[in-house]
Amino acid sequence: NLMPEENDSNLPLESLEDDNEEIDLEDSAQEDDLEDVKGIAVENAYVSEKEQALLALKDLSEHCGPAFYPFIYQSLEEAWTMMDFPDDDVRSAAILACAQFLVAYLKSGQPDGLEAYKKGAKELIPKLCGMVESEEENTVVVSCLEAISDMLKECKLELTTMPGHPEAIVKCVTMIMKGECTCQDQGDEEGLEMEEMETSEQDEALFEYAGDVLPSLGQAMTPPTFAPYLMGCMQMLLKKTRKHCSIAERSFAVGTLADCVKSLQGQLDPFAKHLLPIFLEGAKDTEADMRQNSVYGLGELVLWGGPGLEPKYNQILSDLSMILTAETAPQVIDQVVAGVARFLVVDSGCVPVQELLPVLLTNLPLKADESEYEIVFKAFGKLYAAGHESIKSNISKILECAVAAKKGKEVDADKVMPMVSELVKLIQRDFTAEYQTILSGLPPEAASTLTSITA
């Protein structure tokens, strides 16, 4: 029993009895002190420990595999109750943990685990979507969006084939785009100027995470089933690209549309007539983020658009060339390079390979967006497989990019490094003398990195 006894000597009752000073409950000074206080929170180490314990269980579930399976049930049961805890950090941790526990159930492959996943996912997705709508704390809404995206990426059709889930997910993203969620309520006008910067940052976080949900939904569905859902959002997304919208909204809309292109493969024709003008216009925007996302979108249209987009190749290449001559932002230049690489990967008869190669090679290695090494090495692989004459004269540049990709912090090593390793091994085999000459001329650290690629 943690309750104190009635006559506990530790309570300062005697000192209170002797205090004859009267307190004016209508003291205006006291009222002024509390006038700007939005809420009073009592924090202690136990609250922080709850958050850290939830995150630790989440990480254990993610990285320990089958060894953690016996503990999922109890962990999920405890975390589920914490989604309604008063502290927002604890709620956020509980949300992410519950999503991970259900993913672990699905990945277990155990019959009872699959059953538990289905039951939990059936309840969790509507709960998270409801919290996106009604939750007051921005950080908790961000965690809900992150959890939804994580589950879409990991569970795919096992999630999106559940009745009502795609509709609920699209609805909550649409509400964020419209600014209709409770956490987006600005309240009274008084004091807004002081909070303008904080609100802007919160909106950016919301748009960033909401912008990841729709592409994740697309990757978790087949193109024919995803296309109607995106078409239902198109009008709203296109409106968010207009100049009167905030930078965060415009960048979010263009980035989301660009990320969704891949998931529309074979269904792009009705979308391309809307997307191409938006991306071409955005590529000339004054904001670097808009230019970066728009150029990325152009490249994705080329990569996944198929023959229907071939008549537009010359226009897109002309615009990319003009952008490159004037562009100073490294991340935008990298996207132009990646766009050129996408043209080379498509390998259409309409692609002027000889003209594009110097553009690709002159602007490598990448300066800012290392994630695009994946498409760059796909392009190198295409050229090598075709026996293109440019390979031998540019081995040094290819190996320089291989070293940069190996050292890159933003590179998805699981996807990129097998391609890099295979290409370097082919160069070792087919151009042994040239490879050894280049290797011997490298600084020790770079030489060691290059050698480790094929180890």
Side-chain angles (χ1 to χ4, degrees):
N1 183 8
L2 298 180
M3 294 297 293
E5 293 185 10
E6 197 170 324
N7 295 321
D8 194 327
S9 60
N10 290 327
L11 293 177
L13 298 179
E14 294 83 356
S15 61
L16 286 175
E17 290 174 359
D18 295 337
D19 191 351
N20 295 321
E21 182 181 351
E22 294 184 2
I23 299 175
D24 184 0
L25 296 178
E26 299 181 358
D27 189 345
S28 60
Q30 293 177 5
E31 290 179 2
D32 291 342
D33 289 343
L34 295 175
E35 186 175 350
D36 296 325
V37 175
K38 295 180 179 178
I40 299 175
V42 179
E43 297 184 5
N44 56 48
Y46 294 114
V47 172
S48 179
E49 285 175 4
K50 287 180 187 294
E51 177 194 2
Q52 296 306 315
L54 287 164
L55 294 175
L57 288 169
K58 170 184 172 291
D59 290 343
L60 288 169
S61 170
E62 185 175 358
H63 299 294
C64 293
F68 191 79
Y69 183 78
F71 307 101
I72 298 177
Y73 175 80
Q74 186 178 359
S75 299
L76 178 59
E77 193 175 47
E78 294 290 341
W80 197 281
T81 63
M82 292 291 101
M83 284 194 286
D84 297 317
F85 195 78
D87 183 81
D88 51 296
D89 290 333
V90 173
R91 292 204 302 282
S92 294
I95 288 163
L96 296 173
C98 285
Q100 173 53 40
F101 296 149
L102 291 178
V103 169
Y105 262 142
L106 179 63
K107 288 185 173 181
S108 73
Q110 302 289 336
D112 57 342
L114 295 176
E115 197 61 38
Y117 161 76
K118 290 177 183 177
K119 180 182 178 184
K122 184 179 178 181
E123 296 179 19
L124 182 62
I125 293 299
K127 182 175 181 64
L128 295 182
C129 292
M131 291 178 74
V132 170
E133 178 181 351
S134 61
E135 171 64 50
E136 294 182 357
E137 291 296 333
N138 183 284
T139 54
V140 177
V141 174
V142 165
S143 294
C144 290
L145 295 170
E146 184 180 356
I148 292 169
S149 287
D150 288 345
M151 290 192 69
L152 287 168
K153 290 171 185 175
E154 296 291 339
C155 306
K156 300 190 181 298
L157 287 170
E158 295 288 347
L159 189 68
T160 56
T161 52
M162 290 185 174
H165 281 10
E167 292 83 358
I169 292 168
V170 169
K171 180 187 174 186
C172 73
V173 173
T174 303
M175 290 188 70
I176 287 176
M177 286 192 287
K178 292 180 177 180
E180 293 178 348
C181 296
T182 301
C183 70
Q184 294 171 297
D185 183 11
Q186 298 299 309
D188 298 331
E189 293 296 322
E190 185 179 352
L192 281 185
E193 289 184 9
M194 297 177 61
E195 299 175 7
E196 186 175 347
M197 186 175 296
E198 182 182 352
T199 301
S200 176
E201 290 174 357
Q202 290 175 344
D203 285 345
E204 285 183 22
L206 275 179
F207 291 135
E208 178 184 346
Y209 282 89
D212 191 40
V213 172
L214 280 180
S216 299
L217 179 65
Q219 292 163 25
M221 304 176 80
T222 62
T225 54
F226 175 59
Y229 289 104
L230 185 61
M231 186 60 79
C233 298
M234 277 294 289
Q235 210 47 43
M236 179 62 63
L237 286 166
L238 293 176
K239 284 180 181 178
K240 290 295 181 183
T241 66
R242 295 174 182 171
K243 294 287 186 182
H244 68 269
C245 293
S246 70
I247 296 169
E249 288 175 310
R250 291 163 59 216
S251 182
F252 147 77
V254 172
T256 298
L257 290 169
D259 282 333
C260 286
V261 169
K262 179 180 178 180
S263 300
L264 295 168
Q265 187 179 11
Q267 308 289 319
L268 263 171
D269 286 349
F271 293 90
K273 62 183 180 182
H274 300 292
L275 297 179
L276 185 58
I278 291 293
F279 293 153
L280 288 172
E281 182 67 24
K284 303 168 188 173
D285 199 89
T286 55
E287 292 293 332
D289 283 347
M290 274 290 290
R291 298 198 301 276
Q292 180 183 7
N293 288 343
S294 299
V295 173
Y296 167 66
L298 290 172
E300 287 290 277
L301 276 180
V302 169
L303 187 60
W304 305 106
L309 205 70
E310 287 181 356
K312 302 295 183 181
Y313 280 5
N314 286 338
Q315 181 185 5
I316 294 172
L317 286 170
S318 175
D319 277 38
L320 291 180
S321 177
M322 287 190 293
I323 292 166
L324 197 56
T325 57
E327 188 57 65
T328 58
Q331 69 271 30
V332 182
I333 294 173
D334 284 353
Q335 278 306 326
V336 174
V337 173
V340 171
R342 285 174 169 84
F343 269 103
L344 296 174
V345 169
V346 167
D347 196 22
S348 164
C350 302
V351 175
V353 177
Q354 288 296 130
E355 295 177 28
L356 293 181
L357 267 175
V359 178
L360 177 71
L361 296 165
T362 302
N363 292 284
L364 288 172
L366 298 172
K367 311 297 188 296
D369 196 347
E370 295 173 334
S371 64
E372 293 296 355
Y373 272 121
E374 181 179 357
I375 196 67
V376 167
F377 274 92
K378 283 182 180 178
F380 284 155
K382 276 272 189 179
L383 294 170
Y384 202 100
H388 200 277
E389 60 187 14
S390 65
I391 291 295
K392 185 174 182 179
S393 58
N394 288 288
I395 289 175
S396 177
K397 178 67 75 172
I398 294 171
L399 295 179
E400 183 184 1
C401 290
V403 171
K406 176 69 174 177
K407 296 168 68 175
K409 295 179 180 178
E410 296 178 16
V411 174
D412 187 338
D414 293 337
K415 287 184 179 179
V416 177
M417 292 317 298
M419 289 190 293
V420 176
S421 178
E422 181 183 357
L423 184 58
V424 173
K425 286 177 181 177
L426 289 173
I427 292 172
Q428 281 180 319
R429 183 194 71 187
D430 300 334
F431 303 98
T432 306
E434 290 85 349
Y435 175 83
Q436 290 298 332
T437 300
I438 293 168
L439 180 64
S440 62
L442 291 174
E445 184 182 351
S448 175
T449 302
L450 181 58
T451 304
S452 70
I453 291 173
T454 55

